[in-house]
Amino acid sequence: MGSYLSNTIAALCDAIAAAHDTATGDHSMTAHDDVTHFVLEQLQKMPPFLSRPILVATAVFGISRLLLDGSLFYKRPRQQRQLQISIWRRSSFGPSRDLIRFYTSLTVLAVYSRRGSEAKSPLDHG
């Protein structure tokens, strides 16, 4: 997977995770690297006939504001990325909504799974 797609997916995961992860005080883009890794891993596990259309749609999503704003999705500030995600989430075009739903589902799963594993006490592992 190219760096453009990886960066776009990382920015998507970061923006979605930041909106759901209120327990973390870390607002840096690297705060959700584990979430991004989980999402990338799930994409790699998918058969090509499923993952390729998602990656193509992700690439389109990443460049969708290029002509209007002159920037790629992953280079925008988090607040602008969250706004773009919100616009796609409410789009009348079904595949746009589905793409955001796909990433939101995986990202939220990873965020809450992480939160659950951090909440366990050291005695729970014994």
Side-chain angles (χ1 to χ4, degrees):
M1 184 176 315
S3 64
Y4 164 72
L5 270 174
S6 295
N7 289 338
T8 301
I9 293 168
L12 256 165
C13 292
D14 173 70
I16 294 167
H20 289 85
D21 190 9
T22 56
T24 300
D26 188 355
H27 298 292
S28 68
M29 179 109 167
T30 59
H32 301 108
D33 281 350
D34 58 328
V35 174
T36 300
H37 178 73
F38 172 77
V39 172
L40 289 170
E41 189 176 285
Q42 300 313 306
L43 278 164
Q44 289 173 348
K45 289 179 179 180
M46 294 172 72
F49 74 91
L50 292 175
S51 65
R52 283 190 187 127
I54 291 170
L55 294 175
V56 168
T58 303
V60 170
F61 174 81
I63 63 169
S64 64
R65 300 295 295 184
L66 190 60
L67 291 176
L68 296 172
D69 299 332
S71 65
L72 297 171
F73 175 77
Y74 74 89
K75 292 185 177 183
R76 304 178 86 199
R78 182 184 285 160
Q79 190 173 14
Q80 288 180 342
R81 287 186 270 130
Q82 288 174 328
L83 179 61
Q84 183 175 341
I85 290 168
S86 178
I87 290 168
W88 275 54
R89 181 176 286 127
R90 292 175 287 141
S91 172
S92 60
F93 186 59
S96 297
R97 291 189 313 267
D98 293 343
L99 180 73
I100 300 306
R101 189 176 303 123
F102 171 80
Y103 282 109
T104 300
S105 298
L106 287 177
T107 300
V108 170
L109 176 64
V111 166
Y112 285 96
S113 294
R114 172 177 63 180
R115 207 181 278 171
S117 67
E118 290 173 353
K120 291 181 182 177
S121 75
L123 298 176
D124 291 342
H125 298 293

